[in-house]
Amino acid sequence: MPGRRRRRSPEKEGGKIKKPKTVCAKKDLNTPFSSKACAAWFREYTITDENVICPDGMEKFCEDIGVEPENVIMLSLAWKLGAKSMGFFKMDEWMQGMTELQCDSVPKLQAKFDSLRSLLNDPVTFKSIYRFAFDFAREPNQRSLEVDTAKQMLALLLGGNWSLYASFHQFLELHQNGKYRVINKDQWCNILEFSRFISPDLSNYDEDGAWPVMLDEFVEWFREQQTKTS
């Protein structure tokens, strides 16, 4: 989840997150799920309100599970919990999501990391998480997403699998102090469809299609850049 304070990166072995080694970890994985233990685990991260984990508590939670807030695992977990706002987990969200995951401790959640990552491999689930990310990341009472936050979310979700991502990011950078300071939900959803169905050379892009003006202007800008470099 982007937008958190930077922290020292956890130790890594072979490029992978080094999981804390505890004597009771294996035993913990074999114990039945306990709602009482799950609630007690939640309250380890509450500070002023015992029913809400706030950003400071979230930072400690991320440290305990060995994952950076910006890791896609945290976005997948937030989606599983049905969290309403980035940086906050409410007790009811936690209990519903962790019960579904059958997680009441750090080791049990760490054992789910691969399955949380793999959620993004399914096109239908990916689309659901992508759409969830817009409402999750936008500021309360705002209808649109600040472009800086949108860029971070797009990097997380599309940066590794959309060949035109770098160009689109550059396009947003050029316009973020002018026309595109925010991204609305229609634009957000259409960026995903564009990344899925428009070829890297834009040969199948229909200028008379129902794309948002933002994407029309991106295509025009991209083609101009291609002409300059050819």
Side-chain angles (χ1 to χ4, degrees), residues 1-4 69-71 75 86-87 136-137 148-149 152-153 156:
M1 298 185 288
R4 299 290 165 258
E70 298 83 1
N71 194 301
L75 181 60
M86 188 165 64
F136 178 64
D148 283 336
T149 304
Q152 292 176 62
M153 280 292 179
L156 192 65

Side-chain angles (χ1 to χ4, degrees), residues 124-173:
V124 175
T125 304
F126 181 90
K127 185 174 184 177
S128 179
I129 293 174
Y130 180 90
R131 291 187 170 221
F132 162 83
F134 179 88
D135 292 320
F136 178 64
R138 66 185 169 86
E139 292 293 328
N141 303 318
Q142 295 293 320
R143 296 177 63 87
S144 298
L145 193 60
E146 294 290 336
V147 72
D148 283 336
T149 304
K151 287 188 298 181
Q152 292 176 62
M153 280 292 179
L154 288 171
L156 192 65
L157 290 160
L158 299 180
N161 51 37
W162 182 26
S163 60
L164 291 177
Y165 165 75
S167 295
F168 187 70
H169 179 88
Q170 184 182 358
F171 171 79
L172 290 179
E173 293 253 293

Side-chain angles (χ1 to χ4, degrees), residues 180-198:
Y180 298 120
R181 298 185 181 188
V182 297
I183 290 180
N184 63 41
K185 194 160 190 176
D186 180 63
Q187 291 167 335
W188 177 261
C189 292
N190 273 282
I191 289 168
L192 175 62
E193 300 308 306
F194 186 97
S195 72
R196 284 183 164 182
F197 299 114
I198 301 302

Side-chain angles (χ1 to χ4, degrees), residues 58-76:
M58 192 70 72
E59 184 173 354
K60 183 178 184 299
F61 172 66
C62 289
E63 288 174 350
D64 285 355
I65 65 175
V67 169
E68 289 287 328
E70 298 83 1
N71 194 301
V72 74
I73 287 173
M74 288 300 295
L75 181 60
S76 293

Side-chain angles (χ1 to χ4, degrees), residues 72-82 97 100-101 109 112-130 132 157 161 196:
V72 74
I73 287 173
M74 288 300 295
L75 181 60
S76 293
L77 177 62
W79 176 77
K80 269 289 186 183
L81 270 56
E100 182 181 344
L101 289 167
L109 181 57
K112 298 287 186 178
F113 282 177
D114 286 344
S115 64
L116 287 170
R117 285 192 196 93
S118 69
L119 291 172
L120 299 169
N121 296 332
D122 176 69
V124 175
T125 304
F126 181 90
K127 185 174 184 177
S128 179
I129 293 174
Y130 180 90
F132 162 83
L157 290 160
N161 51 37
R196 284 183 164 182

